[in-house]
Amino acid sequence: MNIIINNPYRQLGVYSNSPIKERVSNHNRLKAFLKVGKQVDFPLDLTAYLPPINRTSETIAQAEANLTLPKEQLRYAQFWFMKVTPLDDIAFNHLLAGNMAEAIRIWEKKGNASSLQNRLVCALINKEYSNVISYAESLYSQYLQQFEAIVLGDESKTSSETLAFDFIDTLCDELSANVIRPIVRNESWLNHINEKSVKPLVERIQSAIEIAKASKGKGSTARYDAGIKLANETRALLQQLRTFLPTTDLQYQMIADKLGLEILQCGIDYFNGSEEADAAHKAMPLQRYAMEIVVGKMAKDRCKENVDILQNIIKNLPPIEVFAEDRAIKEELSNFCQLPEKISHAVTLLNNTKRHLQSIKSKLGANNTYYLKMSTLVVSNALHNIIEEVNAVQQDQTIEIGGQRVPVSFLLDRDEKIRQIKNVLQAAWEATLIMDTFDMESEFKTNRYLPNRSTLKDLCVQMGISTRTTSVRKAPQPSTTTTSTKTTQSPTYRNTSTTSTVPSSSDDTNWGCIVAIIIAVIIGLLSSC
């Protein structure tokens, strides 16, 4: 302990009750030797137990100044030796010879102020803090007046509690309240430690909160960093505060709620202002920690509400390890939705997203729910364009001939119309071959994709289009370029159901609708030939 190592009485080589003339004599001797660059050693340097003293003119002058007032004399005497009785003389002979254990054994034979004080200092040197507290309780409850009279040489007017609290305060400053508090049994001392310890802890937490608040308006990253710093810097402080105050204490509740709500707000501000893909995941630890430390019902309710909201957001986010692929696919889908509903754009979408989907598959596995959902989403959007263009190629104004409505374009250029239909069907089938390589959710594949694929294949065969599956043509580059806005949020995709021009009781995307339309057109064409 510094107050022992650099105790003014030790600096001057005297006991706490040594006569003033001895103290002055030692002081003058030290000054004289220091002037010629020499050091002076005293028996009470006790270098067998304590570090050596490096005396200077300044340190000895300061030591003398520290012992000017009676209050300071008492303070430093609480942490130094005194020699009063013949028993003390015998004990100090052993102590100065390097046998502290024998000195303590001798002091234990007599219960008085000097014996207890000297044993207390030995216990401090040996870091036996339980003994320190035990000796101090006896000393200040039974021998206070005697102790003060030994040091000051007159009747003392200091109360036992005041001097005892001074002793406890110094111990807490030197060793920390965390070391001293668990070994104190005296209730008034314990209350004093709690009161003295609580105030600086609360002030430090409050200061950290104000620093975090100053980051408001400086951007989402600044708020996130402030929240993390606030949580880290106050975690130990709050734990210490709980050792002094119960969580039901109003003072504890007020500072804990204030701290938790500021950490919560840092997380909210970061998430609301951030464009990072993993913002929700990064904000969640702040939100959860805030909910963990607040005490009051209103604060807990607010934290829980925000944690629940963020949890729902996270539930709909992709796994964190595939954020990059997720963003790339969604950008492709967003761009795709700005383009005309053409098969060529569907093929481009399929080719541009396939590598990202394969990366997700390799990280999460072929049966992963998120992977299958994203792969199905891509196929569903591509399927939409295929259906739309096939429908569009056969839509035309019609006139009634022989009780049947015949497209005007067939009457004008039947060969060209058939060529157009065959080209679209050819492109649709090639796009379907690409979609075959994509994994899909079972329900979508069974109920929508495979029936449409089967019907399209039959139609291609009827029109004389090859349906061999040995090769897939690379995606043609669309001739139309459309500028799209990059989005970091989930884009709004096309409705992947298609409205047919022929009424149907089945799903709007059912290829049966398309077949009915095309076959009707072909029959009209053949009947007019």
Side-chain angles (χ1 to χ4, degrees):
M1 289 181 64
N2 183 64
I3 197 168
I4 292 179
I5 294 170
N6 295 311
N7 195 295
Y9 290 112
R10 185 184 183 222
Q11 280 276 349
L12 297 172
V14 296
Y15 297 99
S16 63
N17 64 316
S18 294
I20 294 177
K21 66 178 182 179
E22 182 180 343
R23 197 168 76 205
V24 172
S25 174
N26 283 2
H27 187 188
N28 291 335
R29 184 183 176 195
L30 285 167
K31 287 194 296 184
F33 273 80
L34 287 171
K35 282 183 180 180
V36 295
K38 293 184 177 181
Q39 286 284 333
V40 177
D41 297 327
F42 295 105
L44 280 179
D45 287 355
L46 298 173
T47 52
Y49 315 108
L50 299 171
I53 301 176
N54 181 28
R55 293 181 173 94
T56 66
S57 298
E58 291 76 15
T59 61
I60 61 172
Q62 185 61 50
E64 187 64 44
N66 286 341
L67 299 177
T68 302
L69 299 176
K71 182 179 180 180
E72 293 301 299
Q73 291 172 25
L74 282 173
R75 177 173 182 266
Y76 289 108
Q78 289 178 299
F79 297 91
W80 197 241
F81 296 101
M82 56 176 54
K83 185 166 71 170
V84 180
T85 68
L87 196 69
D88 293 335
D89 279 322
I90 299 172
F92 275 114
N93 287 335
H94 291 288
L95 182 69
L96 298 179
N99 191 351
M100 182 183 285
E102 183 61 23
I104 292 172
R105 190 185 66 78
I106 293 171
W107 278 317
E108 287 174 343
K109 293 179 179 181
K110 185 72 173 178
N112 57 30
S114 63
S115 291
L116 279 170
Q117 175 60 30
N118 292 331
R119 286 155 62 190
L120 185 154
V121 176
C122 288
L124 283 171
I125 292 173
N126 291 332
K127 299 180 181 180
E128 298 168 350
Y129 301 128
S130 293
N131 288 339
V132 170
I133 296 301
S134 176
Y135 297 149
E137 287 180 346
S138 297
L139 177 65
Y140 295 115
S141 63
Q142 301 178 47
Y143 303 103
L144 176 66
Q145 297 297 326
Q146 188 181 108
F147 175 84
E148 293 180 337
I150 291 171
V151 176
L152 300 179
D154 57 11
E155 292 297 323
S156 172
K157 298 180 181 179
T158 305
S159 72
S160 61
E161 276 207 343
T162 300
L163 198 60
F165 289 164
D166 290 344
F167 177 78
I168 290 296
D169 288 347
T170 303
L171 280 183
C172 289
D173 291 342
E174 293 263 346
L175 302 174
S176 89
N178 289 338
V179 173
I180 300 304
R181 186 179 181 278
I183 57 179
V184 171
R185 296 295 176 263
N186 184 294
E187 187 174 347
S188 63
W189 291 12
L190 200 57
N191 291 337
H192 177 77
I193 292 173
N194 288 349
E195 184 179 348
K196 180 179 174 61
S197 302
V198 164
K199 185 177 179 181
L201 289 174
V202 171
E203 288 176 348
R204 288 174 66 185
I205 293 173
Q206 181 62 49
S207 175
I209 292 172
E210 295 304 319
I211 292 173
K213 282 185 175 180
S215 68
K216 197 167 182 65
K218 295 182 179 179
S220 62
T221 301
R223 287 298 278 163
Y224 176 77
D225 292 342
I228 292 295
K229 182 180 178 182
L230 178 59
N232 290 339
E233 289 187 350
T234 59
R235 195 183 304 271
L237 297 176
L238 199 62
Q239 289 175 349
Q240 290 180 45
L241 192 59
R242 279 198 293 270
T243 66
F244 301 122
L245 297 175
T247 56
T248 55
D249 184 271
L250 182 60
Q251 187 177 11
Y252 178 86
Q253 178 177 320
M254 289 177 64
I255 194 65
D257 286 357
K258 193 171 184 179
L259 173 63
L261 291 176
E262 180 57 29
I263 292 173
L264 178 79
Q265 193 61 51
C266 285
I268 292 172
D269 293 345
Y270 161 70
F271 176 74
N272 287 342
S274 176
E275 293 186 357
E276 295 179 14
D278 60 344
H281 288 278
K282 287 178 66 175
M284 181 57 85
L286 288 175
Q287 310 293 64
R288 287 196 183 282
Y289 180 65
M291 186 168 68
E292 176 187 325
I293 65 176
V294 295
V295 178
K297 185 178 185 306
M298 291 181 63
K300 278 193 172 295
D301 288 346
R302 187 182 171 204
C303 289
K304 185 178 185 306
E305 178 185 6
N306 281 277
V307 167
D308 289 346
I309 290 171
L310 203 59
Q311 189 61 58
N312 287 331
I313 292 172
I314 290 174
K315 192 184 300 182
N316 295 317
L317 288 177
I320 194 168
E321 61 265 43
V322 293
F323 271 162
E325 293 90 341
D326 178 84
R327 173 170 288 188
I329 291 171
K330 287 176 179 175
E331 285 179 357
E332 290 291 342
L333 285 165
S334 181
N335 293 338
F336 169 79
C337 291
Q338 309 301 316
L339 300 172
E341 295 171 326
K342 296 293 184 180
I343 294 172
S344 60
H345 298 312
V347 174
T348 300
L349 172 69
L350 293 167
N351 286 332
N352 287 354
T353 57
K354 186 162 188 176
R355 64 186 178 89
H356 300 301
L357 288 168
Q358 288 299 316
S359 177
I360 295 173
K361 182 178 181 179
S362 67
K363 292 178 180 180
L364 304 181
N367 297 321
N368 179 266
T369 301
Y370 165 77
Y371 163 66
L372 291 174
K373 182 180 76 172
M374 291 302 293
S375 186
T376 301
L377 182 62
V378 169
V379 172
S380 181
N381 274 268
L383 184 62
H384 170 87
N385 274 24
I386 294 169
I387 294 171
E388 287 297 312
E389 187 167 357
V390 171
N391 272 347
V393 76
Q394 52 77 37
Q395 289 176 356
D396 201 350
Q397 293 181 349
T398 60
I399 59 173
E400 187 172 341
I401 300 178
Q404 290 186 339
R405 299 200 66 82
V406 179
V408 172
S409 61
F410 267 48
L411 297 176
L412 297 176
D413 192 347
R414 293 169 297 178
D415 292 339
E416 176 62 21
K417 190 62 178 180
I418 291 174
R419 187 187 65 79
Q420 290 178 5
I421 293 173
K422 292 181 72 173
N423 285 344
V424 169
L425 289 175
Q426 177 71 49
W429 180 249
E430 291 178 356
T432 301
L433 295 182
I434 298 175
M435 290 190 291
D436 284 346
T437 65
F438 282 65
D439 294 312
M440 305 171 212
E441 293 172 323
S442 177
E443 183 179 357
F444 173 85
K445 187 170 185 178
T446 301
N447 297 333
R448 294 192 58 201
Y449 181 73
L450 291 179
N452 287 322
R453 184 188 187 286
S454 177
T455 305
L456 176 62
K457 182 177 181 180
D458 291 344
L459 184 56
C460 288
V461 171
Q462 293 177 36
M463 295 293 291
I465 298 169
S466 173
T467 56
R468 287 181 301 171
T469 59
T470 55
S471 63
V472 178
R473 193 170 67 187
K474 282 292 288 183
Q477 294 300 315
S479 58
T480 305
T481 58
T482 304
T483 302
S484 62
T485 304
K486 180 181 178 181
T487 62
T488 57
Q489 306 298 323
S490 297
T492 301
Y493 303 119
R494 287 176 179 161
N495 181 358
T496 54
S497 64
T498 302
T499 303
S500 173
T501 56
V502 175
S504 173
S505 60
S506 64
D507 190 292
D508 288 339
T509 61
N510 195 302
W511 277 97
C513 299
I514 301 171
V515 174
I517 296 167
I518 302 294
I519 291 176
V521 172
I522 295 172
I523 291 172
L525 174 63
L526 295 176
S527 64
S528 64
C529 292

